[in-house]
């Protein structure tokens, strides 16, 4: 009989969204490195499991992080960990920018023999398929395959509602931002609830078009930011192509058919420990009236939930300088829509920290509901303008 206390831990990542390179293992300590997305320089997402670990303090050292996509994402970051793949907590984590080209050290003592570690709580492809199937089986919901990815996966869109206001929600253009699909799960649970008064209001007022995962290939491959070709989809919206970015081409074509009045592109941010919205300042057709509609939505959301704030965020583009390859700018310019990018943290929300979980799937889902409630209120105010 082998004494497991004297053997090395075992690290695997050959599964849905798995991504890590094992450099060495010595007992319960491992040296690791994060591989880049295919055909790109982006490296930040990791997801792997550690076996043969019950009752042992596991030390995981990930180096060369100054070369990662967003080095500013590592200070004050804590790795996500789960032993049952249902509840995701945070492990003790430190970052030393001066050692090993930037080194993250994660320590954790599993109760069971196996623990999973990830950059953020993963949203597996099977769960995505379950989300689509459950929503599509709800009354009044239509599922459409609006395109196919480069790896041959379906690009699913859900449609519901009887109103004239065309509302678009879409997520995970950047596949490693898995919090975006947790947000979608919360939003869809609300929208498909026949008793929910906010959902009933939105279904009556709007035609909702929802793409829970714009980049299922990158999600499955364990990419941070790109699709199977190595393309950042959120830099393709001015000229998407079937060869490089069929996902964006399919979504934009569907938008052209429906029109867009309100759009939210759901993301995560590596460095900023807050929830915030980025707008479309700087588009060529900017008007103060169009911008005020966006700012009014921000004010409503800030009043509704303490998890949202407006002090932190991205710099605004100068007049006429907006990048129209980014979806929010393209949609605002193309349709005259009230468009915005929602950003959630990989770390924690510094305004309302949670020592056990940091920013979590549960909070993503709750935020999805609050964003819908804010939309219902925003629409009501539109009637009085």
């Amino acid at each position: 009989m082998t004494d497991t206390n004297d053997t090395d831990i075992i690290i695997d990542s050959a599964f849905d969204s798995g991504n890590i390179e094992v450099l060495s293992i010595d007992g319960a300590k491992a040296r690791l490195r994060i591989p880049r997305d295919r055909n790109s320089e982006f490296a930040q997402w990791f997801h792997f499991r550690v076996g043969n670990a019950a009752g042992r303090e596991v030390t995981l050292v990930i180096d060369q992080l100054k070369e990662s996509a967003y080095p500013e994402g590592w200070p004050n970051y804590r790795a996500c960990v789960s032993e049952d793949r249902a509840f995701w907590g945070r492990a003790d984590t430190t970052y030393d920018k001066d050692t090993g080209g930037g080194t993250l050290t994660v320590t954790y003592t599993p109760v069971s023999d196996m623990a999973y570690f990830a950059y953020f709580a993963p949203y597996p492809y099977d769960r995505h398929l379950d989300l689509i199937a459950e929503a599509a089986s709800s009354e009044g919901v239509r599922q459409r395959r609006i395109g196919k990815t480069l790896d041959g996966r379906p690009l699913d869109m859900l449609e519901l509602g009887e109103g004239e206001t065309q509302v678009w929600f879409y997520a995970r253009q950047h596949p490693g931002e898995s919090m975006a699909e947790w947000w979608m799960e919360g939003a869809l649970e609300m929208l498909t609830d026949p008793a929910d008064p906010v959902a009933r209001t939105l279904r009556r007022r709007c035609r909702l078009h929802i793409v829970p995962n714009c980049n299922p290939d990158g999600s499955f491959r364990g990419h941070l930011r790109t699709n199977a070709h190595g393309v950042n989809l959120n830099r393709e919206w001015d000229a998407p192509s079937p060869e490089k970015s069929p996902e964006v081409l399919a979504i934009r074509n569907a938008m052209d058919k429906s029109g867009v009045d309100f759009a939210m592109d759901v993301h995560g941010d590596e460095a900023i420990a807050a929830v915030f919205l980025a707008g479309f300042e700087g588009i060529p057709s900017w008007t103060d009236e169009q911008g005020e509609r966006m700012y009014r939505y921000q004010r409503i959301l800030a009043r509704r939930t303490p998890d949202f704030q407006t002090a932190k965020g991205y710099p605004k583009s100068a007049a006429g300088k907006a990048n129209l390859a980014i979806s929010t700018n393209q949609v605002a310019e193309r349709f005259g829509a009230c468009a915005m990018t929602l950003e959630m943290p990989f770390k924690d929300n510094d305004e309302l920290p949670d020592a056990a979980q940091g920013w979590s799937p549960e909070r993503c889902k709750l935020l999805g509901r609050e964003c819908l409630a804010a939309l219902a209120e925003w629409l009501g105010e539109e009637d009085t303008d």
Side-chain angles (χ1 to χ4, degrees):
M1 181 176 179
T2 301
D3 182 357
T4 58
N5 288 326
D6 295 330
T7 63
D8 291 340
I9 56 174
I10 302 167
I11 297 178
D12 299 298
S13 62
F15 45 74
D16 178 354
S17 79
N19 191 47
I20 202 67
E21 177 187 355
V22 180
L23 301 178
S24 66
I25 297 176
D26 182 8
K29 182 175 182 177
R31 289 182 58 246
L32 310 170
R33 195 161 294 164
I34 301 175
R36 292 182 173 92
D37 294 0
R38 180 176 182 266
N39 295 336
S40 85
E41 294 300 309
F42 293 112
Q44 195 101 4
W45 172 265
F46 61 86
H47 180 202
F48 56 91
R49 73 177 194 180
V50 176
N52 196 23
R56 308 170 72 185
E57 182 178 82
V58 173
T59 302
L60 308 167
V61 179
I62 307 175
D63 66 9
Q64 301 302 317
L65 294 179
K66 286 185 179 179
E67 299 177 4
S68 63
Y70 301 100
E72 67 275 17
W74 302 116
N76 302 315
Y77 166 79
R78 292 184 296 146
C80 296
V81 61
S82 177
E83 296 187 38
D84 61 5
R85 300 207 304 166
F87 176 84
W88 287 85
R90 297 280 177 155
D92 290 338
T93 308
T94 59
Y95 178 65
D96 183 350
K97 64 182 178 62
D98 298 319
T99 302
T103 297
L104 194 77
T105 301
V106 182
T107 56
Y108 182 74
T109 304
V111 174
S112 55
D113 204 42
M114 187 176 297
Y116 285 77
F117 296 84
Y119 189 39
F120 193 79
Y123 199 98
Y125 188 63
D126 273 353
R127 190 176 185 115
H128 165 80
L129 294 177
D130 289 343
L131 179 67
I132 296 294
E134 185 173 355
S137 67
S138 302
E139 184 176 354
V141 179
R142 179 190 179 196
Q143 178 271 340
R144 291 176 54 200
R145 194 197 79 166
I146 59 173
K148 258 196 335 182
T149 68
L150 292 169
D151 283 344
R153 292 185 176 87
L155 189 63
D156 290 311
M157 181 172 73
L158 300 163
E159 294 182 316
L160 66 159
E162 303 80 39
E164 295 183 359
T165 300
Q166 302 296 323
V167 173
W168 279 79
F169 292 111
Y170 49 108
R172 287 191 90 177
Q173 288 199 77
H174 298 150
E177 296 164 16
S178 53
M179 62 282 290
E181 198 157 7
W182 287 109
W183 184 100
M184 280 288 181
E185 183 172 299
L188 282 167
E189 286 175 354
M190 184 179 191
L191 284 170
T192 56
D193 183 349
D196 190 286
V198 170
R200 292 175 64 190
T201 298
L202 292 176
R203 293 195 302 266
R204 176 176 57 83
R205 292 288 307 271
C206 307
R207 182 64 173 171
L208 296 121
H209 313 264
I210 301 170
V211 184
N213 189 335
C214 299
N215 194 345
D217 289 353
S219 303
F220 191 87
R221 285 170 173 261
H223 288 186
L224 171 77
R225 204 165 172 85
T226 65
N227 69 357
H229 190 72
V231 168
N232 178 353
L233 294 183
N234 203 28
R235 298 300 184 271
E236 292 285 305
W237 280 74
D238 56 340
S241 71
E243 296 79 19
K244 292 172 53 183
S245 50
E247 302 90 347
V248 172
L249 183 62
I251 296 167
R252 205 185 71 172
N253 286 346
M255 286 179 168
D256 284 341
K257 291 180 181 178
S258 71
V260 184
D261 296 307
F262 180 97
M264 182 178 287
D265 180 16
V266 188
H267 284 259
D269 184 87
E270 290 79 5
I272 300 176
V275 179
F276 60 97
L277 286 167
F280 51 89
E281 294 88 355
I283 64 170
S285 63
W286 168 274
T287 66
D288 291 343
E289 180 182 0
Q290 185 184 9
E292 173 56 24
R293 297 176 73 216
M294 173 186 63
Y295 296 141
R296 181 158 50 81
Y297 180 86
Q298 290 185 3
R299 292 193 297 269
I300 292 170
L301 186 59
R303 179 175 51 77
R304 291 199 60 92
T305 172
D307 262 338
F308 178 75
Q309 56 80 56
T310 58
K312 301 174 185 175
Y314 299 147
K316 296 176 182 178
S317 297
K321 300 296 184 180
N323 183 354
L324 296 182
I326 295 174
S327 73
T328 287
N329 294 331
Q330 178 68 213
V331 170
E333 176 71 15
R334 194 181 190 91
F335 302 102
C338 178
M340 60 199 75
T341 303
L342 176 70
E343 298 282 357
M344 292 173 281
F346 278 87
K347 297 177 182 179
D348 198 351
N349 185 344
D350 280 352
E351 304 295 318
L352 200 63
D354 180 343
Q357 286 188 280
W359 188 254
S360 66
E362 292 82 0
R363 290 172 82 179
C364 297
K365 293 177 66 171
L366 289 170
L367 181 64
R369 290 174 171 266
E370 290 292 355
C371 288
L372 293 177
L375 175 59
E377 185 174 337
W378 182 84
L379 288 167
E381 291 188 2
E382 290 272 285
D383 293 340
T384 63
D385 288 349

